[in-house]
Amino acid sequence: MPVDEDKYPAESDRRRFVKGVVGSAALTGFGGVGAITVDSLTNPSGAGGGTVISRVVENVAGPAPRGMPVIPIEFDEEGYLRGLFPEYEEVEEQGRVIQNAQMEVGGVTYGAEWFQYCGVQSYAGLQPDADQDNYFRYSNEYEWHADLEGERVNRSHFEPGGEFVGYEEWGNDIGDDGVGKPASATWRSQDQGGKDTMPVQIIRSTQVEELVENTDDEFVQAALNDGFVANLNKCTHFCCVPGFKATSGAAKFGAENDIYCQCHQSVYDPFSIVEAQFTALPRPEE
Ligand code: FES
């Protein structure tokens, strides 16, 4: 798979192997992943900074240097969606104790570093002391969930026969109907008064179901759950917030059924999950 270049300066790739254990609480209700954790790779550039290999929704056009990071999805017993986030653990590095958040998902090392670009590394929700419940909460990009802003995202809102149009038929006036039902949400940002909001794109689609069914990629099988895919919705070019079927202008660039960034026309395919390497920025206080 291609390794993307990044605009950030290159770092030394010297790494150190540290044993650790991630608490199992974070895995409640999380399908497809066995007992996890194990080892952490740390980097001399600081906690959570340095060379990182992540899984992303693929960047297929435009100036963005790579795709946007996937957030593995889990459900609670009432069908509410949460984004999996690894617990922080203390590790010793070069004589000092630092806190890293990493775990293994489908054979891939998944960590807080995946989100450490575009200033997100300094957001409250990414700090070790963040008190966040990991639920996705609706923001205001799509009309169908305008009355739900601030409420938690629930699987039932995407199913046919309920209050809303089902994901297999949903459409707006952009692109084709039935290719996927999107929601815009926030993550690890509650009770912050609108500050440090982490935007998320959620899509439920038969294309996600097909992708999971036809792949032998264990990360995809574990992270994309019940037809849902989620990503941190910060364009890796200059950090705008793109959208899936959110802007009619996307059609001009053939992106009406993709995630499109209207700032400089980067396009992301949410139904293609690929590997990307980049230089994560360290959390500032460390
Ligand atoms: S394409 Fe430039 S910020 Fe998205």
Side-chain angles (χ1 to χ4, degrees):
M1 290 189 193
V3 170
D4 296 325
E5 294 293 327
D6 199 314
K7 62 189 179 209
Y8 303 122
E11 302 273 350
S12 155
D13 64 357
R14 183 162 62 91
R15 298 183 296 187
R16 211 161 61 78
F17 210 51
V18 180
K19 295 212 178 288
V21 175
V22 170
S24 60
L27 298 174
T28 306
F30 186 65
V33 190
I36 309 222
T37 341
V38 208
D39 306 300
S40 303
L41 292 172
T42 62
N43 190 289
S45 67
T51 303
V52 170
I53 295 174
S54 61
R55 291 299 180 92
V56 299
V57 293
E58 186 177 11
N59 169 230
V60 292
R66 64 179 182 280
M68 295 182 288
V70 171
I71 304 171
I73 291 173
E74 60 178 358
F75 300 96
D76 74 6
E77 55 290 343
E78 294 176 296
Y80 289 103
L81 278 71
R82 286 188 296 231
L84 187 70
F85 192 80
E87 293 178 6
Y88 277 92
E89 62 178 354
E90 292 190 343
V91 295
E92 199 180 315
E93 181 177 302
Q94 294 179 332
R96 65 190 182 122
V97 174
I98 58 172
Q99 291 185 301
N100 274 352
Q102 290 180 329
M103 65 191 298
E104 193 173 311
V105 175
V108 170
T109 300
Y110 166 65
E113 301 96 327
W114 287 24
F115 311 110
Q116 293 182 193
Y117 68 99
C118 277
V120 178
Q121 68 278 2
S122 65
Y123 284 13
L126 224 58
Q127 307 313 308
D129 60 353
D131 182 20
Q132 298 290 329
D133 61 17
N134 290 332
Y135 284 106
F136 296 128
R137 289 175 168 79
Y138 289 108
S139 53
N140 57 9
E141 185 67 56
Y142 298 99
E143 205 179 316
W144 77 263
H145 60 64
D147 293 339
L148 296 172
E149 189 172 347
E151 303 283 320
R152 290 177 298 163
V153 178
N154 192 289
R155 173 167 43 196
S156 66
H157 301 159
F158 295 76
E159 281 166 1
E163 194 182 342
F164 303 102
V165 177
Y167 70 100
E168 293 174 324
E169 287 87 37
W170 186 90
N172 54 9
D173 291 334
I174 300 167
D176 303 319
D177 292 355
V179 297
K181 181 175 180 178
S184 61
T186 62
W187 183 50
R188 297 184 64 79
S189 312
Q190 85 264 25
D191 305 324
Q192 289 172 194
K195 192 171 164 283
D196 290 352
T197 299
M198 293 174 69
V200 173
Q201 176 76 68
I202 297 168
I203 301 168
R204 189 178 192 185
S205 172
T206 55
Q207 293 182 76
V208 175
E209 294 168 340
E210 284 161 20
L211 176 64
V212 170
E213 212 172 289
N214 297 321
T215 187
D216 53 8
D217 183 328
E218 290 178 19
F219 175 82
V220 170
Q221 291 167 345
L224 278 52
N225 217 330
D226 204 18
F228 284 94
V229 60
N231 63 272
L232 181 72
N233 208 23
K234 281 263 193 192
C235 184
T236 59
H237 182 223
F238 285 151
C239 311
C240 287
V241 176
F244 175 77
K245 294 162 73 67
T247 310
S248 55
K252 207 170 141 196
F253 299 92
E256 65 273 29
N257 293 318
D258 288 311
I259 300 175
Y260 169 72
C261 183
Q262 59 183 328
C263 289
H264 313 95
Q265 291 73 55
S266 283
V267 182
Y268 301 88
D269 180 354
F271 311 120
S272 174
I273 309 301
V274 299
E275 186 176 286
Q277 179 175 308
F278 74 109
T279 303
L281 301 178
R283 295 188 305 277
E285 76 276 24
E286 294 174 301

